[in-house]
Amino acid sequence: MQTNDKVLKAFHSVKDVGSERSIVELGWLEIVSVKPPKIVVRLNLPNFAIAQRGQMAADIRESIKSLEDIEEVQIEIGDSSPSQQSPIGQAGHGGQSQGLTAIPKVKNVIAISSGKGGVGKTTMSVNLAIAYKKLLNNVLLLDTDLGMANAHVLLGTNPESTLSNFISGQKDLENIIIKTESGIELVSGGAASSELLNLKNNQRYNVLNSIENYLSKKEKVKLVVDVAAGAEDNSIIFANACSRIVVVVVGEPTSFIDSYALIKALYAKSSFKNYCVAVNQVDDEEHGKELFSKFQSITSQFLDVNLHFVGSIKNSGKIRKSIVDRTPIMSSEPKSDISQSFLKIAKNINETPINEWGGLTFLSKAKKRA
């Protein structure tokens, strides 16, 4: 017969990536019942560690293989407010004294992602941010394409300070936020450097926590996060910190393959079920719907996720000109068909289901069970 102590010992191999400490040592795991062949455990994660929930659940299931007579583990998800966290749990991430808390004024944080580069992801991010500015009082565009950031180029601004200065401790967050002529605020990801391309988890959490604290002071704010293309750690963690994820695809086999791989990676880490798909560089709206249907049919064969078509953008010389001119088309031609398409996509995104289970960091909500 397995005892609680033996079960806890088996779970010492499951660690928090930020502090590299066991979740047992941190006090994040609770044994609910041990009744072979089944055990029930509860994860009480602080909000800044929720993004790891999917991986921790997988590690817990792997750990039970060392236990005799145990064939199944049921994992419950509990709430863990800052007041409930143990001191060692709070200290696990760079000495943060508190986890993240929910922000009532910040609604539906959106990640703009893509499986590969060159599909117009940043163009989509910039123009959608401006589209949301027309619907809300405040919009912050966070460029997390760290080291390869170019949202500031499309917005026609040359920031003196970037996320690199914040991460290095040279600047506070509020000192790197710039107001653009389009009316949105921007945090630039910075120029290429190994420091930005290889962030530690506590550095990522510090960015997310600081952004959340800043936004909590704003009224009717939308956060748009431009995520680096692909499925590297930075991309997955920042995307899973958002309640809605938009995947930008184009009508190319490589885009379909890489976007499928991205969604698979996001789902594996967070169990997010809902993904918005925006199709770029199409001939017309019907062409966009056709490409979406093809991508959906491929994805649904292998992944249990819901894809939501939110719209398409026509292939146009006007967009290419806007990039060269460093003036987003939503600003230069707000009444054009293309600008109306961006506005339509922004509204359609708001109509899709919010992901409430998994790697929420900007807005932390946890269901009781998973």
Side-chain angles (χ1 to χ4, degrees):
M1 176 67 70
Q2 299 291 342
T3 65
N4 285 14
D5 288 342
K6 289 181 179 179
V7 172
L8 285 174
K9 185 177 180 180
F11 292 141
H12 269 282
S13 62
V14 183
K15 296 184 178 181
D16 162 45
V17 295
S19 64
E20 297 185 350
R21 290 175 173 172
S22 161
I23 60 174
V24 176
E25 178 187 1
L26 292 169
W28 296 353
L29 184 74
E30 174 187 355
I31 303 297
V32 177
S33 67
V34 180
K35 296 179 180 179
K38 179 180 178 179
I39 61 174
V40 181
V41 300
R42 181 179 293 115
L43 270 176
N44 297 308
L45 298 180
N47 293 330
F48 60 78
I50 288 177
Q52 303 179 63
R53 190 187 312 180
Q55 185 61 52
M56 285 182 180
D59 292 343
I60 287 171
R61 292 188 174 95
E62 182 67 23
S63 297
I64 69 166
K65 293 180 180 179
S66 65
L67 297 172
E68 295 181 3
D69 303 326
I70 301 298
E71 300 176 0
E72 179 185 357
V73 58
Q74 177 179 312
I75 304 171
E76 298 181 349
I77 304 299
D79 292 326
S80 184
S81 64
S83 62
Q84 294 171 313
Q85 297 167 20
S86 66
I88 192 171
Q90 293 177 352
H93 287 257
Q96 290 175 198
S97 62
Q98 295 185 8
L100 303 182
T101 56
I103 315 174
K105 298 176 184 177
V106 184
K107 302 295 183 182
N108 312 335
V109 182
I110 296 172
I112 311 297
S113 63
S114 63
K116 65 184 291 291
V119 300
K121 170 184 61 66
T122 297
T123 299
M124 184 75 69
S125 299
V126 168
N127 283 283
L128 284 179
I130 299 172
Y132 281 119
K133 175 63 179 176
K134 297 180 180 295
L135 304 174
L136 296 163
N137 291 343
N138 296 286
V139 175
L140 174 63
L141 175 59
L142 173 62
D143 191 346
T144 65
D145 195 346
L146 302 177
M148 301 292 179
N150 54 23
H152 65 282
V153 177
L154 274 62
L155 284 162
T157 185
N158 298 302
E160 295 181 2
S161 301
T162 69
L163 211 50
S164 176
N165 301 107
F166 171 74
I167 291 169
S168 66
Q170 298 173 345
K171 297 280 187 178
D172 293 332
L173 180 72
E174 294 192 13
N175 292 328
I176 67 170
I177 296 175
I178 59 174
K179 296 187 182 296
T180 67
E181 292 185 2
S182 62
I184 67 172
E185 293 183 323
L186 171 70
V187 173
S188 174
S193 71
S194 59
E195 179 187 66
L196 290 177
L197 296 174
N198 299 286
L199 288 185
K200 296 178 181 178
N201 278 288
N202 64 320
Q203 292 175 310
R204 297 184 184 113
Y205 292 133
N206 189 30
V207 171
L208 299 175
N209 195 23
S210 297
I211 290 289
E212 183 178 43
N213 291 336
Y214 174 75
L215 293 178
S216 66
K217 306 169 188 176
K218 299 282 186 176
E219 295 285 347
K220 294 184 179 179
V221 65
K222 174 75 71 176
L223 174 62
V224 178
V225 184
D226 185 4
V227 179
E232 299 297 327
D233 285 349
N234 278 344
S235 303
I236 299 300
I237 289 176
F238 283 116
N240 280 340
C242 303
S243 51
R244 287 189 173 102
I245 300 174
V246 180
V247 180
V248 181
V249 303
V250 297
E252 300 174 1
T254 52
S255 175
F256 279 25
I257 293 170
D258 292 343
S259 295
Y260 164 80
L262 171 63
I263 292 173
K264 181 179 179 181
L266 290 166
Y267 179 72
K269 290 291 186 180
S270 68
S271 295
F272 279 1
K273 297 280 286 187
N274 297 292
Y275 299 87
C276 302
V277 177
V279 187
N280 201 17
Q281 302 170 12
V282 302
D283 297 332
D284 51 39
E285 189 170 348
E286 288 304 313
H287 184 213
K289 291 178 180 178
E290 178 185 339
L291 290 173
F292 168 77
S293 295
K294 289 181 179 179
F295 179 65
Q296 185 180 42
S297 65
I298 295 170
T299 305
S300 62
Q301 291 181 50
F302 306 101
L303 297 177
D304 183 22
V305 297
N306 303 316
L307 301 185
H308 305 274
F309 178 63
V310 292
S312 58
I313 299 296
K314 289 177 63 176
N315 195 4
S316 171
K318 288 185 176 182
I319 290 184
R320 289 189 289 274
K321 183 177 184 300
S322 73
I323 295 172
V324 173
D325 292 344
R326 301 183 65 186
T327 304
I329 194 168
M330 277 295 303
S331 296
S332 61
E333 298 186 44
K335 296 183 179 180
S336 67
D337 290 342
I338 294 175
S339 291
Q340 293 305 305
S341 294
F342 280 120
L343 194 59
K344 182 178 179 181
I345 290 174
K347 292 178 179 178
N348 287 342
I349 291 170
N350 284 349
E351 298 300 319
T352 62
I354 292 175
N355 288 304
E356 294 185 342
W357 192 97
L360 294 177
T361 306
F362 292 110
L363 298 172
S364 300
K365 290 183 179 180
K367 288 189 174 181
K368 291 295 184 181
R369 298 177 63 86

